Amino acid sequence: MNSAREQLRGRLAELMREKLELQLPHTLEDTLRINEDLRIDSISLLQLIVHIEATLGLRVPEEEVDAKAFATVGSLLDFIGRLAPAAEEAAQP
């Protein structure tokens, strides 16, 4: 497996456990559905986006937030992997 993706998976699981206080399965599999399997509702999802920005130092552009990106753990990891660091975003004119 891709070690960068696995590292990101670990950080995401840590965020979900510590910031959202979720009880997660031992392994955060790509196929787990965010809403149905992990019981993350729309409010918690907004909180997760804020924590992704603050803790991971990434910028989540409003126009790129799409329900498909938040369907499963795998789609969320793909989405996070495409995000630009907040510092780079701020440096651009």
Side-chain angles (χ1 to χ4, degrees):
M1 284 234 148
N2 181 338
S3 86
R5 184 176 177 90
E6 291 311 305
Q7 200 171 26
L8 184 57
R9 182 186 315 275
R11 303 267 322 263
L12 181 61
E14 185 179 314
L15 272 178
M16 290 177 167
R17 283 187 184 105
E18 292 179 9
K19 303 294 186 183
L20 301 181
E21 300 177 358
L22 295 174
Q23 296 295 321
L24 299 176
H26 179 66
T27 305
L28 208 54
E29 299 291 335
D30 278 2
T31 55
L32 288 172
R33 297 168 298 173
I34 300 293
N35 183 268
E36 296 89 343
D37 298 326
L38 299 180
R39 303 280 187 240
I40 297 177
D41 62 16
S42 58
I43 300 298
S44 295
L45 195 54
L46 289 173
Q47 292 173 328
L48 181 60
I49 291 170
V50 169
H51 292 304
I52 287 169
E53 289 184 319
T55 306
L56 301 181
L58 299 171
R59 182 169 180 309
V60 180
E62 250 182 74
E63 63 276 3
E64 290 185 28
V65 175
D66 179 6
K68 292 176 189 170
F70 297 93
T72 65
V73 169
S75 64
L76 181 55
L77 289 171
D78 292 342
F79 177 74
I80 294 171
R82 292 189 302 268
L83 296 175
E88 277 184 27
E89 184 77 23
Q92 293 179 2

